[in-house]
Amino acid sequence: MRDKPYEIRTWKDLPYATLTEVPSTFNNTGTWRTVRPIIDYDKCISCMTCWKFCPDVAISIVPNKKEGARFDEIPEIDYFFCKGCGICAHECPVNAIDIVEEESK
Ligand code: SF4
Ligand code: SF4
């Protein structure tokens, strides 16, 4: 019987190329982006639906520092991680997120 070219028995046998040495916080998924989500804070109702749906955890809930603001907390996009998938804009119930062309680098 012919041997298999590569037999995987445990995780230690996985080919190295399928693994990464660093945690996902080092993966700059923002470099994948061709379009950029922009939050219109005048329309935003701070429901945090975008925060919940972002697959890259690129949206944080941060204190609203604006004087006389309607909401104490607002969503903030971290463009280091945002890959421009557009899910946040699709899920926003009040269309407060615009998707614009990324400026060419
Ligand atoms: S989903 Fe839209 S309205 Fe809700 S927090 Fe995000 S941007 Fe604001
Ligand atoms: S475009 Fe995608 S990756 Fe970027 S903030 Fe919205 S849901 Fe997250």
Side-chain angles (χ1 to χ4, degrees), residues 47-86:
C47 66
M48 304 308 171
T49 302
C50 54
W51 168 79
K52 183 177 177 186
F53 277 88
C54 176
D56 282 294
V57 198
I59 300 179
S60 302
I61 300 172
V62 300
N64 192 351
K65 295 177 182 159
K66 199 171 161 189
E67 191 79 22
R70 290 183 295 161
F71 305 104
D72 294 338
E73 294 178 319
I74 53 173
E76 183 178 79
I77 297 171
D78 184 339
Y79 292 105
F80 183 86
F81 295 113
C82 168
K83 63 188 176 192
C85 66

Side-chain angles (χ1 to χ4, degrees), residues 37 49-50 53 85-99:
T49 302
C50 54
F53 277 88
C85 66
I87 290 173
C88 53
H90 185 267
E91 297 297 332
C92 177
V94 293
N95 295 322
I97 304 178
D98 289 328
I99 299 291

Side-chain angles (χ1 to χ4, degrees), residues 13-28:
D13 300 319
L14 286 170
Y16 183 73
T18 61
L19 303 174
T20 175
E21 285 181 313
V22 295
S24 57
T25 49
F26 283 75
N27 292 333
N28 184 359

